[in-house]
Amino acid sequence: MAENNGTTIIVMSGDMDRVMAAFNIAIGAASMGKETNMFFTFWGLKAIQKGNFTGKSFFGRMMGFMNRGGINRIGPSQFNFWGIGRWMFKQMMKNHKITPLEELRKTALELGVKLMPCQMSMEVMEIKAEDLIPGVEESCGVATMLERADRSKQTLFI
Amino acid sequence: MAEELKIVTTLDLKGLVCPIPIVKVNQAIKNVQVGEAIEAFATDPGVLGDIPAWSKTTGNELVKMERVDKNFRFVIRRLK
């Protein structure tokens, strides 16, 4: 693997369409032989959560309830209409034989894409390491992300 | 081409869409020897741009890209 030829993607969004784009790019980059890292921060964490209720404090639990994670629970950034849009998009994706999000994530892991959760976001939103899917890296901070970005030719913020 | 092209693997990528074709191609090329080639059949028009781009980036040779009936057929030789 060539040095300084990686791809780093910062996933801030927890919207289905954006997360899908992020995984698509990551899988493409990994298939092109690049060291690929995805850094999940804030709403993006939902894409690597198991989907159980999270939080400890009152606000934390409220957050965990209203902003429940899980890659099959996230809706599109537009036309979601309280879940109807999500259902419609999934139906349309199925009709056009587009790979579902969960499978994209699985493929990314198989290709060696590093899924890195942001420690600070986990702290704020009271998401614990065991709330995340198996296969993700240790939670990390901005320095780790920047170090990866340094080794990358492309750094994308989604 | 002077030397004989040895196609050792045939991939069926019909019905698969971006980014899966390049994932499959990438896996398949790793399983052949340098100098050998793989061929693939796809239906996604995206491969017309993606396969040349993938070949260029990974340093493999796109020997052929053609239309066969309703499919796209392409041949890639592993160079390294």
Side-chain angles (χ1 to χ4, degrees):
Chain A
M1 209 170 285
E3 262 183 50
N4 300 325
N5 192 25
T7 300
T8 296
I9 303 169
I10 299 136
V11 187
M12 159 73 103
S13 171
D15 296 330
M16 174 207 225
D17 38 9
R18 288 167 190 260
V19 167
M20 189 169 157
F23 275 112
N24 254 321
I25 297 167
I27 289 169
S31 292
M32 286 167 114
K34 292 166 182 295
E35 178 194 335
T36 311
N37 314 291
M38 294 176 86
F39 187 77
F40 293 86
T41 183
F42 241 88
W43 313 115
L45 281 175
K46 288 200 275 186
I48 51 169
Q49 271 179 254
K50 282 179 188 156
N52 51 299
F53 288 116
T54 56
K56 212 173 169 198
S57 68
F58 174 72
F59 285 138
R61 273 181 298 166
M62 199 167 78
M63 191 81 185
F65 180 72
M66 294 176 71
N67 186 48
R68 195 169 165 189
I71 202 156
N72 290 319
R73 208 166 275 119
I74 56 179
S77 60
Q78 291 184 50
F79 306 115
N80 191 16
F81 303 123
W82 310 278
I84 299 166
R86 175 179 60 204
W87 174 81
M88 191 195 74
F89 267 106
K90 278 187 184 169
Q91 228 47 40
M92 283 173 75
M93 280 164 66
K94 206 184 273 174
N95 294 343
H96 291 279
K97 298 195 178 73
I98 310 285
T99 321
L101 258 181
E102 200 172 355
E103 217 154 295
L104 284 179
R105 185 177 66 186
K106 202 174 133 236
T107 308
L109 277 169
E110 281 167 6
L111 289 171
V113 175
K114 300 267 187 295
L115 309 185
M116 299 152 56
C118 160
Q119 174 61 40
M120 186 275 277
S121 306
M122 287 171 68
E123 205 95 5
V124 173
M125 297 166 108
E126 298 181 9
I127 296 165
K128 295 191 295 265
E130 55 263 37
D131 297 329
L132 303 177
I133 57 154
V136 300
E137 304 292 300
E138 288 277 301
S139 60
C140 58
V142 70
T144 314
M145 186 277 285
L146 287 172
E147 190 261 334
R148 299 297 172 100
D150 251 351
R151 300 210 307 253
S152 303
K153 248 191 191 148
Q154 303 127 355
T155 300
L156 311 173
F157 187 94
I158 297 178
Chain B
M1 222 147 299
E3 55 196 304
E4 186 94 5
L5 192 65
K6 192 175 158 205
I7 296 174
V8 287
T9 311
T10 300
L11 288 178
D12 180 10
L13 307 174
K14 295 197 266 296
L16 299 174
V17 292
C18 173
I20 306 304
I22 62 163
V23 174
K24 301 275 185 197
V25 166
N26 185 53
Q27 283 165 348
I29 206 94
K30 282 182 185 151
N31 292 324
V32 304
Q33 302 295 318
V34 171
E36 291 177 342
I38 60 166
E39 68 170 346
F41 293 89
T43 47
D44 176 24
V47 299
L48 287 175
D50 273 9
I51 296 300
W54 177 87
S55 308
K56 199 177 155 201
T57 310
T58 54
N60 292 293
E61 184 193 353
L62 177 59
V63 183
K64 197 173 238 175
M65 171 75 84
E66 60 183 357
R67 254 200 125 104
V68 179
D69 300 325
K70 280 179 181 164
N71 304 316
F72 303 106
R73 174 182 179 265
F74 52 89
V75 179
I76 299 170
R77 189 209 311 256
R78 182 172 178 182
L79 289 189
K80 58 183 186 184

